[in-house]
Amino acid sequence: MSTNKTVVIALGGNALLDPNTNGSVAEQIRTVERSCARVAQIIARGYHVVITHGNGPQVGNLLIQQEEAKKLVPPLPLDICGAMTQGQLGYLIQQKLREALARLGIAKPVVTVVTQVRVDRDDPAFGEPTKPIGPFYAERERPLLEQKGYVLKRVGKGAKPWRRVVASPQPKEIVEIESIKALIAAGAIVIACGGGGVPVVREDGRWRGVEAVIDKDLASALLAEELGAEILLILTDVDRVALFFGTPQQVFLDRLSVSEARKYLLEGHFPPGSMGPKIEAAIRFVEGGGERAYITSLEKAGEALEGLAGTEICRGEDPSPTAQT
Ligand code: ADP
Ligand code: MG
């Protein structure tokens, strides 16, 4: 089967490291292997695939390593840790996707681009950091950390209730976009914008990494738009999006127009930090010229592209007939 469509596939946390496992390297590799087998099937159907991914657990572990080893080696800042996870996960995806493609008789290069994403220094998000990252801290560790400029938030109880929070600014520009396009044009399957991309600002002609985390779904939407992709496929751990999620009134949705999506988002059906940014990403992508976006699980990804599973977000300006009754 052949299609000429480009699909940007955003791999969520559990497509890379299954939370039901012990989190070992062997489990990490097994999970990536499973995800790559699914992605390979999509490529085999003729889609031009570009991959983005989250990095939450991986960057969390790296930050713990920085903290625990700081007496031995200088700790690395968040932007460098983010870049490291792009290499780490990109490497594993390159290896496992190549193997999965080879099993299907497809020889295609798979390549990772360490991606910087420009954010605005005056993004209001810097004034109210919300994204918890890295290790948990005890009360007595607080003064020193706050002296370092960390913003801490009480997120739990017990001996270590504090956690660092950083800003989650809007992605404005993908610095390496032209290189990504060139690689795609040369026939490569590109992995880019891992972890939402490394957030950078431009100041007096220089680029500088900042201590922030860009939402990976919003970065994926920007990438998909810049590439002129037809489809944005956001893979997470639910098969479909629901209204009244997790309550007795829960209803799963097969299809949502952009205006319905925005309405339900405003009504609070999709919380920030989980489903909210996915819906926002889908809206931005479709409004920016994309054909449609899907939110589904890795298992249902193939069926979703056929219109047989998942939640589709599409333009559909027509008011629904039921709205008039
Ligand atoms: P990922 O790490 O895969 O990018 P997240 O864990 O941030 O994704 O967000 C996905 C989660 O959002 C789901 O596992 C689900 O628990 C939660 N969620 C919140 N609201 C909804 C909703 N309205 N419909 C479906 N899932 C929802
Ligand atoms: Mg998650």
Side-chain angles (χ1 to χ4, degrees), residues 11-14 216-217 234-238 240-245 252 269-271 273-276 278:
L11 297 174
N14 73 324
K216 76 111 177 26
D217 296 307
I234 298 177
L235 301 183
T236 182
D237 47 11
V238 285
R240 278 178 298 167
V241 175
L243 298 180
F244 306 103
F245 180 72
F252 284 100
H269 288 281
F270 315 127
S274 64
M275 193 47 75
K278 296 183 197 311

Side-chain angles (χ1 to χ4, degrees), residues 87-105:
Q88 168 192 8
L89 291 165
Y91 152 66
L92 288 176
I93 298 168
Q94 281 177 205
Q95 190 178 75
K96 296 305 164 198
L97 186 54
R98 227 173 221 264
E99 285 175 9
L101 288 170
R103 279 194 291 273
L104 299 175

Side-chain angles (χ1 to χ4, degrees), residues 132-211:
I133 51 151
F136 291 77
Y137 298 104
E139 175 67 35
R140 65 180 155 73
E141 295 174 279
R142 246 179 94 194
L144 208 63
L145 292 163
E146 285 180 341
Q147 229 171 56
K148 245 170 75 170
Y150 283 18
V151 179
L152 298 177
K153 201 171 176 174
R154 187 187 279 278
V155 292
K157 295 189 171 80
K160 295 192 164 187
W162 295 94
R163 207 159 176 216
R164 185 178 179 201
V165 285
V166 296
S168 187
Q170 296 299 318
K172 292 291 179 182
E173 177 191 352
I174 295 162
V175 178
E176 286 78 16
I177 191 70
E178 292 308 324
S179 309
I180 294 169
K181 285 182 182 169
L183 286 164
I184 294 170
I189 293 164
V190 177
I191 303 153
C193 292
V198 180
V200 294
V201 292
R202 197 169 162 85
E203 283 169 347
D204 309 322
R206 293 167 73 98
W207 294 97
R208 182 169 63 80
V210 290
E211 302 267 306

Side-chain angles (χ1 to χ4, degrees), residues 4 10 19-21 32 57 63 98 112 119 121 124 144 148 150 161 210 239 242 252 268 273 285 301 309 311 316:
N4 238 351
N20 304 314
T21 67
V32 171
L63 290 167
R98 227 173 221 264
T112 303
V119 300
R121 182 70 275 188
L144 208 63
K148 245 170 75 170
Y150 283 18
V210 290
D239 292 345
F252 284 100
F285 172 65
T311 300

